Amino acid sequence: VQLQASGGGLVQPGGSLRLSCAASGTISSINVMGWYRQAPGMQRELVASIIGSSTTDYADSVKGRFTISRDNAKNTVYLQMNSLKPEDTAVYYCCADSLVTAYNRNPRYWGQGTLVTVSS
């Protein structure tokens, strides 16, 4: 499984960005997809996940501001990020696994990171 992430960039506080992640390869083995992030000097953090097409979960720090969605026809998962804050600044990684428990602990598949910088 290969994951290709895109959509990062520089945005002002309060702004929005949408990240995309396209999956390819043996994607039939994938059940859960989502995003982790890691800020400089910080531990990585599970941001959001989606199981199948509709069951979602979010870190408390992003609930109400971020929305994860999945387009199975395009094998793509999206992360819509609204009301961005400076503390959202991090490298965001698209991740996937066949098992939710594995995903929540250490996803098997990782894409390259995409940098999100929230700054005025």
Side-chain angles (χ1 to χ4, degrees):
V1 174
Q2 294 80 43
L3 303 172
Q4 181 69 42
S6 61
L10 173 64
V11 63
Q12 292 186 340
S16 298
L17 278 177
R18 188 176 82 154
L19 305 182
S20 300
C21 175
S24 60
T26 312
I27 57 176
S28 59
S29 65
I30 297 302
N31 182 40
V32 55
M33 294 184 69
W35 301 86
Y36 275 72
R37 69 185 179 186
Q38 187 164 25
M42 303 290 287
Q43 289 188 337
R44 70 185 184 188
E45 176 186 24
L46 192 162
V47 177
S49 62
I50 184 165
I51 303 168
S53 298
S54 59
T55 303
T56 59
D57 194 20
Y58 299 92
D60 288 342
S61 58
V62 307
K63 281 181 181 177
R65 300 188 297 121
F66 290 12
T67 302
I68 189 169
S69 60
R70 185 170 176 177
D71 185 336
N72 287 327
K74 296 181 178 180
N75 300 321
T76 300
V77 65
Y78 304 96
L79 186 68
Q80 177 67 42
M81 305 185 293
N82 298 329
S83 302
L84 283 161
K85 305 175 181 180
E87 51 264 43
D88 294 317
T89 295
V91 177
Y92 284 70
Y93 297 92
C94 177
C95 302
D97 207 302
S98 57
L99 299 174
V100 174
T101 51
Y103 177 87
N104 291 340
R105 183 173 60 247
N106 185 20
R108 179 175 181 180
Y109 303 106
W110 291 74
Q112 91 288 0
T114 184
L115 177 62
V116 172
T117 303
V118 184
S119 175
S120 55

